[in-house]
Amino acid sequence: LALLAAHCGLGERADSITAERLFSASPWRELVVTRGPDGVWIFSRSHPPLALPAPPAEVVDPVGAGDAFLAAYLVTRLRHAQ
């Protein structure tokens, strides 16, 4: 998030305000920001911003956790879009 925000001239912070400003200035319909053990932020044109906590879990290896979450999120969104 910080790298993308900096590239767009929005500073280098990785907080919810920066994410919301980035989303507001974009043509995207949704922006999903995974935040590791802090959960996820979801910004959408069709509903208010969401900040969802991560469920409690015993972490064995965090590599790929965000990718796995986004894959499940996309599958769910695509199934409900039809």
Side-chain angles (χ1 to χ4, degrees), residues 39-77:
V40 63
W41 292 323
I42 302 174
F43 299 90
S44 173
R45 303 275 181 226
S46 62
H47 59 73
L50 296 173
L52 303 174
E58 181 180 333
V59 178
V60 176
D61 183 355
V63 174
D67 295 335
F69 170 83
L70 289 174
Y73 180 83
L74 287 172
V75 165
T76 302
R77 293 289 290 133

Side-chain angles (χ1 to χ4, degrees), residues 8-29:
C8 294
L10 297 173
E12 296 182 13
R13 295 176 53 176
D15 60 12
S16 63
I17 294 170
T18 301
E20 191 160 17
R21 288 177 59 206
L22 180 63
F23 178 66
S24 294
S26 77
W28 310 324
R29 287 188 283 173

